Amino acid sequence: MSKKSAFQFLDLPRQMPQRIPLELRTAGDWGELYGKFGLADAQYQAGRCLDCGNPYCSWKCPVHNAIPQWLQLVQENRIAEAAALCHSTNPLPEVCGRVCPQDRLCEGSCTLEEFGAVTIGAVEKYIVDAALESGWRPDLSQVQASGKRVAVVGAGPAGLACADRLARAGIHAVVFDRYEQIGGLLQFGIPSFKLDKRVIDTRREVLEGMGVEFRLGVEVGGDLALSELLEEFDAVFLGTGAYRYTDGGLPGQELNGVLPALPFLVQNSRIVSGNDPALSSIGGRPIAGWEDKIALPDLDGRRVVVLGGGDTGMDCVRSAIRLGAAKVTCAYRRDEANMPGSAREVANAREEGVRFLFNRQPLAIEGDADGNVRGVQVVETRLGDPDERGRQRAVPIEGSESLLEADVVIIAFGFSPSVPDWLTELGVEGTPNGRIVAAACDDGSGRLPYQTTNPKLFAGGDCVRGADLVVTAVAEGRDAAASIADMLLA
Ligand SMILES: Cc1cc2nc3c(=O)[nH]c(=O)nc-3n(C[C@H](O)[C@H](O)[C@H](O)COP(=O)(O)OP(=O)(O)OC[C@H]3O[C@@H](n4cnc5c(N)ncnc54)[C@H](O)[C@@H]3O)c2cc1C
């Protein structure tokens, strides 16, 4: 199908793939919310692209996907070429098509935004799913093995992207992860209604087909010393993520019925995927101090309050709905415009029955005489002067305190990284807020991009940036691999 008219976008509205009906979602269906485009849907939506000559969509995309070009290939039904082009910038395109906040990135900067942006994410998902289902695989037949070997610590998006690019450069990548499954937060944090876990299984098979080796269930710094990896391998990439829990220090956090977000999501994802819900093998390690609080309470018919308005908070409220909670409220201290969660996910949550209370700051969690939570004491806020990061502060309004009744409170204030001793002992510097120091391009340090202060060690993703996005972790893993290849193959 070729483009019929530059004004086709006026006749043909933006359309997302069909979603699972609301009554199924609220009855506990954990399936991926958005269905799949067929070829005709993908071609029609791709045909809405104006090929405007100023592809802000590509510039805004952290991996700079060649979006107008692959939309054109879809229109011409050249799906395998489109898939190869998607992979040329993004080692995990089918994942990003599903979980990227496109409304803030490519689609948010589409020239057609005012009329309804091109559904870039849904077309990306179509291209890669269709190509992989038809047997297409990245072609490495021209790649010459270099004999070099690199260890990748962490099988999250940063580590997987790095391994993909190393394999393409002829470098043997061995990926270590403390968990038995790959994916990092894609596997255990992000719920299946956003990302079907079979997508990660397929990606594992693709990467293994490219020669990437996985050694899973191995904690580096615990089961295996990093110094051993440095001896055995030519370089090491660290993509260890950000798992230091921001607890907010609220009085009453120890009450029964108060849960940290990540163990709650991890537990659900293990139950949904049919795995043993016991968390002993994965949940306790990353979130120090919460190991004794990981039993998941029955949410059926309960009132749930989620504190925090980021992606994690949205995943918690929507999971609580699927678990049968009678009333789910998200309390956020700033207004809706300032909420960090993706607007699309907020809209989905609202449709599923979540109530949002903006400009509410929690002061304390209240309990009853038996030590069970009974609610959250909140105070109303107004927006004040900007803080050091430029965001307007939430200023409490005196005398506006009230109790938000709850049987279960989930704390979703976010995560930050931390630099373990076993890294600093090997000369890796961290910042005061726990990020691994890795060089940026032309930062005057004389180091290659993503090289740490130990020249054999590179790092990227959330452990360097702080908690961020899948696509930024992918970008850093990809670019760190290029630096490693520069160092080893020069
Ligand atoms: C609940 C939730 C929902 C989110 N939703 C979205 C979303 O919708 N869209 C989006 O773009 N982003 C989302 N994010 C953010 C996104 O998941 C992360 O930014 C991204 O996964 C970071 O990738 P990473 O590879 O740096 O780290 P991770 O995904 O955290 O992977 C790190 C890996 O390193 C392993 N590891 C750590 N230390 C060791 C060690 N010592 N030895 C061996 N292995 C180790 C861990 O087990 C883990 O597998 C969400 C995050 C959360 C928590």
Side-chain angles (χ1 to χ4, degrees):
M1 192 185 107
S2 62
K3 261 187 227 171
K4 295 182 188 90
S5 140
F7 298 104
Q8 191 171 330
F9 67 90
L10 291 175
D11 306 326
L12 187 76
R14 167 187 163 91
Q15 246 163 19
M16 287 290 284
Q18 285 210 327
R19 292 178 303 162
I20 293 184
L22 184 58
E23 59 275 19
L24 293 184
R25 287 184 254 154
T26 52
D29 190 317
W30 289 82
E32 222 173 67
L33 173 62
Y34 291 96
K36 290 185 179 188
F37 275 157
L39 175 63
D41 309 311
Q43 285 182 322
Y44 274 119
Q45 292 302 316
R48 295 182 69 246
C49 173
L50 294 180
D51 196 10
C52 57
N54 286 318
Y56 294 115
C57 52
S58 294
W59 286 112
K60 190 74 181 179
C61 170
V63 289
H64 303 308
N65 279 330
I67 296 164
Q69 290 81 358
W70 45 251
L71 291 173
Q72 180 64 36
L73 288 170
V74 170
Q75 288 180 76
E76 294 166 11
N77 196 10
R78 293 158 65 187
I79 304 305
E81 286 163 79
L85 191 56
C86 288
H87 281 81
S88 70
T89 49
N90 185 347
L92 303 178
E94 74 290 17
V95 174
C96 289
R98 287 169 161 88
V99 303
C100 266
Q102 284 99 2
D103 47 348
R104 281 193 269 139
L105 298 173
C106 54
E107 295 180 12
S109 32
C110 173
T111 305
L112 277 185
E113 223 264 326
E114 215 179 300
F115 301 92
V118 176
T119 52
I120 297 167
V123 176
E124 185 180 29
K125 167 174 153 176
Y126 167 77
I127 293 169
V128 185
D129 283 357
L132 292 175
E133 271 161 31
S134 71
W136 176 89
R137 292 294 180 268
D139 179 8
L140 271 62
S141 56
Q142 303 303 311
V143 173
Q144 304 266 329
S146 66
K148 301 289 182 189
R149 298 171 76 246
V150 170
V152 172
V153 184
L160 297 181
C162 183
D164 172 290
R165 282 320 197 247
L166 292 171
R168 288 168 190 263
I171 297 172
H172 183 64
V174 182
V175 184
F176 294 82
D177 202 289
R178 61 184 158 193
Y179 300 152
E180 294 289 349
Q181 285 159 294
I182 71 159
L185 287 172
L186 304 177
Q187 183 73 255
F188 297 110
I190 297 179
S192 56
F193 52 80
K194 276 165 56 182
L195 176 65
D196 189 320
K197 305 309 163 195
R198 285 171 294 188
V199 170
I200 307 171
D201 297 341
T202 305
R203 182 50 60 180
R204 178 172 175 175
E205 182 242 294
V206 171
L207 286 165
E208 285 176 334
M210 294 167 73
V212 173
E213 187 184 331
F214 290 102
R215 293 194 199 160
L216 303 175
V218 179
E219 181 161 11
V220 174
D223 309 321
L224 177 67
L226 182 60
S227 53
E228 289 180 54
L229 291 184
L230 287 169
E231 265 170 43
E232 185 186 338
F233 292 89
D234 297 296
V236 177
F237 173 77
L238 301 162
T240 47
Y243 289 93
R244 189 152 47 105
Y245 181 68
T246 309
D247 74 2
L250 292 174
Q253 282 184 171
E254 70 294 345
L255 290 163
N256 296 326
V258 181
L259 292 171
L262 196 55
F264 168 71
L265 293 169
V266 168
Q267 180 104 317
N268 288 326
S269 98
R270 286 171 74 80
I271 293 170
V272 171
S273 61
N275 282 316
D276 175 6
L279 279 169
S280 54
S281 61
I282 65 164
R285 276 180 177 172
I287 306 166
W290 288 91
E291 290 87 342
D292 55 339
K293 304 210 68 185
I294 51 180
L296 183 65
D298 183 2
L299 298 196
D300 198 18
R302 317 288 291 279
R303 296 162 304 174
V304 177
V305 169
V306 175
L307 302 176
D311 280 329
T312 307
M314 293 312 99
D315 290 348
C316 289
V317 287
R318 298 177 64 204
S319 295
I321 292 281
R322 284 161 177 76
L323 289 165
K327 187 174 177 186
V328 181
T329 307
C330 174
Y332 176 60
R333 65 188 168 141
R334 294 191 176 89
D335 63 2
E336 183 164 5
N338 279 288
M339 213 160 107
S342 146
R344 183 181 62 195
E345 301 308 325
V346 173
N348 284 327
R350 217 175 231 133
E351 186 186 64
E352 288 165 11
V354 175
R355 181 174 72 125
F356 285 88
L357 281 181
F358 297 105
N359 298 106
R360 296 294 196 293
Q361 184 161 319
L363 298 173
I365 302 172
E366 304 278 339
D368 60 19
D370 298 323
N372 297 317
V373 66
R374 70 179 185 94
V376 184
Q377 189 74 26
V378 292
V379 63
E380 289 182 32
T381 63
R382 62 175 175 77
L383 290 181
D385 295 334
D387 61 18
E388 51 292 341
R389 287 191 297 166
R391 292 183 76 197
Q392 283 183 282
R393 287 189 169 83
V395 182
I397 301 172
E398 218 176 298
S400 65
E401 294 81 2
S402 62
L403 184 75
L404 209 52
E405 292 185 351
D407 307 305
V408 173
V409 174
I410 301 172
I411 300 182
F413 291 149
F415 308 92
S416 49
S418 55
V419 185
D421 292 345
W422 49 265
L423 270 180
T424 45
E425 281 159 10
L426 288 167
V428 175
E429 272 176 30
T431 67
N433 54 8
R435 299 176 189 200
I436 295 175
V437 172
C441 281
D442 303 325
D443 65 357
S445 65
R447 287 180 272 133
L448 289 162
Y450 303 100
Q451 196 168 26
T452 70
T453 41
N454 178 324
K456 252 185 127 174
L457 279 164
F458 293 72
D462 280 5
C463 64
V464 167
R465 304 176 64 82
D468 198 7
L469 293 175
V470 170
V471 68
T472 49
V474 164
E476 296 206 339
R478 178 196 71 177
D479 295 345
S483 284
I484 295 171
D486 280 352
M487 181 178 85
L488 297 182
L489 308 180

